[in-house]
Amino acid sequence: FFFFPCLSFCIMKQSSTVSSSRRKSRKAFLSAPSSQRRVIMSASLSKELRKKYGVRSVPIRRDDEVMVVRGQHKVSGKVTSCYRRKYVIHIEKLTLDKPNGQSVNIGIHPSNCVITKLKIDKDRLALLNRKRAGAEAGKGKLSQQDVQA
């Protein structure tokens, strides 16, 4: 039996129901069904939209207008497609010209984007209202007594 004093920085798992194994996390991510991929492919809202709807992030969809804020390709434009199989979105002005003259879309992960304009329909509005209600229910500062209890 060995004693490793240098392992004191390791943090214990917070939840016993969720695995912290890299192998299992990768398997869950790469074999996720389309419905879960939609939620994984969420993007944060711009400050104006965040203030208006009271929601931080929302799953991205086809006609949203986004601004890429991370990486080499910092552009803004409309989302032309959400490629759930590859976990990327394609943006209208973001293409690469191949040597034969053909243009190819460049895929961007939604976490590198900020949504600047939402395409709103009744289902999306219901989702925003649901998320806002959940956020407001959980709001409020904790007092010192609540923390110790």
Side-chain angles (χ1 to χ4, degrees):
F1 294 91
F2 298 102
F3 176 68
F4 294 105
C6 62
L7 293 179
S8 61
F9 64 86
C10 291
I11 299 169
M12 283 179 57
K13 248 172 58 165
Q14 300 297 319
S15 172
S16 61
T17 56
V18 179
S19 173
S20 58
S21 163
R22 175 178 159 84
R23 174 172 55 103
K24 290 179 185 175
S25 296
R26 280 178 54 81
K27 180 169 178 152
F29 177 77
L30 295 170
S31 62
S34 182
S35 57
Q36 283 178 18
R37 287 180 184 231
R38 174 181 161 272
V39 177
I40 292 169
M41 290 175 66
S42 292
S44 54
L45 298 178
S46 66
K47 287 183 180 172
E48 297 83 43
L49 291 177
R50 206 178 290 177
K51 190 169 278 188
K52 182 178 177 183
Y53 294 111
V55 173
R56 187 172 187 84
S57 68
V58 95
I60 206 155
R61 63 166 290 179
R62 189 201 247 150
D63 289 320
D64 289 342
E65 286 184 27
V66 297
M67 181 170 66
V68 182
V69 290
R70 294 277 180 279
Q72 301 171 329
H73 311 286
K74 292 188 175 143
V75 299
S76 54
K78 194 178 270 194
V79 176
T80 55
S81 69
C82 294
Y83 204 148
R84 287 190 192 164
R85 180 187 246 174
K86 290 185 175 179
Y87 284 108
V88 294
I89 59 169
H90 295 139
I91 301 168
E92 171 175 80
K93 299 167 190 165
L94 198 54
T95 56
L96 184 72
D97 291 327
K98 286 167 66 170
N100 65 2
Q102 190 179 5
S103 68
V104 181
N105 289 318
I106 296 173
I108 299 287
H109 194 274
S111 66
N112 298 327
C113 301
V114 168
I115 299 174
T116 53
K117 191 174 176 195
L118 286 167
K119 180 175 184 348
I120 296 283
D121 55 7
K122 64 180 176 66
D123 296 322
R124 202 108 188 261
L125 202 57
L127 171 92
L128 288 167
N129 291 333
R130 242 185 0 258
K131 283 189 87 167
R132 174 192 275 161
E136 286 173 353
K139 259 193 184 152
K141 293 230 176 202
L142 292 174
S143 66
Q144 195 65 32
Q145 288 131 1
D146 294 336
V147 174
Q148 290 171 351

